[in-house]
Amino acid sequence: MPHFMTAPCLQLHATPLTQGAFESFGTVVENQGHTDLMPSSTTLLYNAISVNQGTATKYTDVTHILNHYDTHAPSRRAGKAVMNMFVCKPRELRRNVTPEVGSRGLFDIKILECHPFTTQTFIPLGLARDDPDTQYMVIVAPQLEKAPDGVDKHPGLPDVHKIKAFVANGSQAVTYGAGTWHAPMVVLGRSFVEFVVVQYANGVAEEDCQEVEIRPKPNAQEGIAVAIESFDTTRSRL
């Protein structure tokens, strides 16, 4: 697989992370009742169960942790479940020369990665849903079905023309589907964010993680960037 590909000059606007918008890329894990109140037996969602003597609500099967190493990886080396922690610092944003009202700056997408044979779940720790200063951004792209002209036939490359960006808050975890291209975690704002990351791995570098550098086209001043808006402290859009 090529280690880089050229991309069009494209500016995206991040949208709030919701399961409906993210469905083709993976799963959003959050309190599906969207309330801190205990639901009654008549208001429980289809996948909810009242447990612990009525003091908790259990939402079942909120995400799928998949392991395709045994059946799909070329080495056939078995994958094992691993749990790691990523401590992510806020990213620097580039100044937008033509800023819109409320714009904080631009984030340049320079690299995408994927895990072909496993899902990967990021669970933020200690980040409040209504934190006015810090959020995180999820950037994803589907795989190409056919390689673009001028590139060797690698249908698994990211389709950069269909890249999407979503802003998440501290009450949301995210699972990337196996083979989904995504940017390394992007924290926005003032504070470091700690993530517990759950996936499978078999120790074969090319099978565990594939990376592609995203470069602007020749003579282009920029490639793909995400315009970051000011934080909505009310979270009405999230």
Side-chain angles (χ1 to χ4, degrees):
M1 176 174 289
H3 294 290
F4 73 90
M5 61 186 302
T6 57
C9 180
L10 181 64
Q11 189 172 125
L12 311 173
H13 287 271
T15 59
L17 180 65
T18 65
Q19 179 55 45
F22 192 72
E23 189 169 11
S24 61
F25 303 105
T27 308
V28 178
V29 183
E30 60 185 332
N31 178 357
Q32 298 177 38
H34 300 290
T35 178
D36 295 329
L37 301 176
M38 290 297 299
S40 68
S41 59
T42 59
T43 60
L44 286 172
L45 299 177
Y46 75 95
N47 64 334
I49 305 171
S50 180
V51 296
N52 297 354
Q53 298 78 50
T55 63
T57 302
K58 174 183 177 181
Y59 293 96
T60 60
D61 202 26
V62 294
T63 193
H64 299 133
I65 308 299
L66 301 180
N67 174 14
H68 295 314
Y69 282 96
D70 293 351
T71 56
H72 292 75
S75 72
R76 291 298 191 269
R77 181 181 295 183
K80 68 174 184 178
V82 294
M83 184 179 292
N84 302 308
M85 177 173 282
F86 286 57
V87 182
C88 302
K89 69 179 182 179
R91 299 297 191 99
E92 293 184 4
L93 302 180
R94 176 167 57 88
R95 180 176 175 272
N96 192 343
V97 295
T98 57
E100 299 178 5
V101 175
S103 173
R104 293 175 58 90
L106 298 173
F107 177 78
D108 292 303
I109 301 173
K110 297 182 178 180
I111 193 167
L112 293 173
E113 63 181 48
C114 82
H115 311 280
F117 309 112
T118 178
T119 52
Q120 187 183 46
T121 300
F122 278 76
I123 307 167
L125 300 178
L127 179 61
R129 172 186 176 88
D130 57 353
D131 189 312
D133 298 318
T134 305
Q135 298 171 309
Y136 69 97
M137 183 163 62
V138 175
I139 298 170
V140 286
Q143 290 189 4
L144 278 170
E145 296 182 4
K146 298 176 66 175
D149 294 341
V151 177
D152 292 338
K153 299 301 181 182
H154 291 285
L157 284 171
D159 187 344
V160 294
H161 294 274
K162 297 181 180 179
I163 198 165
K164 302 288 185 182
F166 303 95
V167 176
N169 62 55
S171 70
Q172 297 174 305
V174 62
T175 296
Y176 298 113
T180 295
W181 287 95
H182 59 91
M185 184 53 68
V186 179
V187 171
L188 303 171
R190 298 182 181 179
S191 303
F192 283 70
V193 179
E194 301 161 346
F195 294 88
V196 171
V197 181
V198 182
Q199 64 186 92
Y200 284 85
N202 71 351
V204 179
E206 185 69 12
E207 294 178 356
D208 283 338
C209 183
Q210 299 175 358
E211 294 183 346
V212 172
E213 181 184 353
I214 307 299
R215 299 179 182 177
K217 289 184 176 181
N219 302 319
Q221 293 185 348
E222 63 180 47
I224 304 177
V226 183
I228 308 300
E229 299 176 2
S230 296
F231 295 135
D232 179 3
T233 56
T234 67
R235 293 298 188 273
S236 61
R237 295 176 58 195
L238 299 178

